[in-house]
Amino acid sequence: MNTIMKVDAGNVNRFYDKAYDWIIDRGPSVILGIILLIFGLWLIKLLGKWMQGGMHRKDINPSLRPFLTSLIIITLRVLLVLTVMQVIGIQLTFLTVLIGGIGVAAGLALSGTLQNFASGVLILLLKPFVAGDNIIAQGQEGTVASIQIFYTIVKTFDNRTVVIPNSKLSNEVIINISREGTRRLDIEIKFSYGIDYEKVVSIFNKTVDEFKSCLKTPERRIGVSSLEDNGFKASLNIWVNAHGFTDTKLSFLEVLMKNLKLGGIKLPGMPD
């Protein structure tokens, strides 16, 4: 009985000795790791609030703000936990290899999706176009209805909904036809040499003056664009609002044709 008690007491003493040695050896690292974890979490929380305010001041897209904040905060927290584990002395070799393998596999499986995602973030940050702009992209012309993280929705002028992956919009040419607010309407008409050019200019000016959608500035431009064997081409450049450009063009051409006919100027193909 005494022998058993002596054995148990020896085991307990050895346990306490090992625990004491571990506390002396690892205790400061564990305490430092806990302090680092608490301070790091507080600092990351403070950084998140600062980021929200900064993105609001810089007018970053509202749909992107919570996503970017969450992404950065989660990344910083993961890095903080890994750093704390290193400080405490936990070996990360296997964990690092495992995370790396999972990352490579996920990257290969989601390469197209990740590319669209990264492109969506760039579009929302750099703003080559915004919702409401008229653009030409991927052979489509229309109004940007919305910009999502993975794709952009464009509504064409003939009422078709086109969904374009963001990677296509960030890597290829985009023509933003409404960003400047105005567009130049170019009209070129061919006349025979028997028609008085000064009369053509007078009718052009009269039509522009009467047409309310024509802008005063920049100034209109009228001139002869080419001379051919059987006639000359007169060119007219006027500035109009970018939104509603097609409607303005159709209406202006209709008024111009009527004024030319009223002025006695015969266009090619018109009956005598």
Side-chain angles (χ1 to χ4, degrees):
M1 186 71 164
N2 291 333
T3 304
I4 294 174
M5 292 180 64
K6 288 180 181 179
V7 171
D8 290 341
N11 290 335
V12 171
N13 289 333
R14 283 195 296 272
F15 171 78
Y16 281 122
D17 288 340
K18 290 182 179 180
Y20 177 79
D21 292 339
W22 185 89
I23 292 173
I24 295 299
D25 184 39
R26 298 291 185 181
S29 299
V30 172
I31 294 172
L32 180 61
I34 293 172
I35 294 173
L36 180 62
L37 179 64
I38 295 172
F39 177 75
L41 290 174
W42 173 80
L43 193 62
I44 291 171
K45 184 178 180 181
L46 192 66
L47 178 64
K49 293 181 179 179
W50 177 82
M51 283 180 56
Q52 285 282 13
M55 287 189 287
H56 178 73
R57 288 191 297 271
K58 292 184 179 295
D59 195 29
I60 293 176
N61 192 289
S63 64
L64 190 59
R65 293 174 198 167
F67 170 77
L68 285 177
T69 303
S70 299
L71 178 64
I72 294 174
I73 286 177
I74 291 172
T75 302
L76 290 175
R77 284 176 178 172
V78 170
L79 292 176
L80 176 63
V81 170
L82 293 176
T83 302
V84 169
M85 292 174 70
Q86 285 282 66
V87 170
I88 293 175
I90 300 175
Q91 297 297 322
L92 299 177
T93 305
F94 174 74
L95 183 61
T96 303
V97 172
L98 181 62
I99 293 174
I102 293 173
V104 171
L108 292 174
L110 302 173
S111 58
T113 302
L114 291 175
Q115 188 177 8
N116 287 329
F117 162 76
S119 299
V121 172
L122 287 175
I123 290 171
L124 289 170
L125 286 175
L126 301 178
K127 299 181 179 179
F129 55 85
V130 296
D133 280 353
N134 295 333
I135 65 170
I136 301 174
Q138 297 296 303
Q140 304 293 332
E141 180 176 352
T143 303
V144 178
S146 66
I147 304 170
Q148 307 296 329
I149 291 295
F150 296 103
Y151 55 84
T152 294
I153 299 175
V154 176
K155 190 172 183 179
T156 63
F157 298 137
D158 58 350
N159 207 32
R160 290 176 295 134
T161 298
V162 182
V163 180
I164 305 176
N166 284 331
S167 59
K168 296 291 185 181
L169 295 174
S170 66
N171 295 327
E172 299 184 20
V173 175
I174 304 168
I175 302 174
N176 192 324
I177 55 180
S178 64
R179 186 168 190 168
E180 299 302 322
T182 59
R183 286 184 66 182
R184 195 179 73 183
L185 173 57
D186 299 329
I187 298 170
E188 188 180 61
I189 303 176
K190 186 173 181 178
F191 301 94
S192 67
Y193 285 114
I195 293 175
D196 183 10
Y197 171 69
E198 295 300 327
K199 190 173 183 180
V200 171
V201 172
S202 175
I203 293 174
F204 277 3
N205 280 321
K206 177 178 179 295
T207 305
V208 174
D209 291 336
E210 293 176 349
F211 200 76
K212 295 180 180 180
S213 296
C214 294
L215 303 177
K216 301 297 182 182
T217 55
E219 291 288 338
R220 74 196 72 173
R221 184 169 63 177
I222 302 173
V224 176
S225 57
S226 68
L227 299 173
E228 300 179 0
D229 294 339
N230 55 350
F232 66 93
K233 288 183 178 180
S235 178
L236 169 63
N237 306 134
I238 54 176
W239 290 87
V240 298
N241 290 321
H243 286 283
F245 175 82
T246 302
D247 292 336
T248 301
K249 179 180 180 180
L250 294 175
S251 298
F252 183 83
L253 287 174
E254 180 181 349
V255 174
L256 178 59
M257 183 178 68
K258 289 179 180 178
N259 287 341
L260 288 171
K261 290 178 69 176
L262 290 173
I265 294 180
K266 178 179 174 295
L267 296 174
M270 276 188 177
D272 294 329

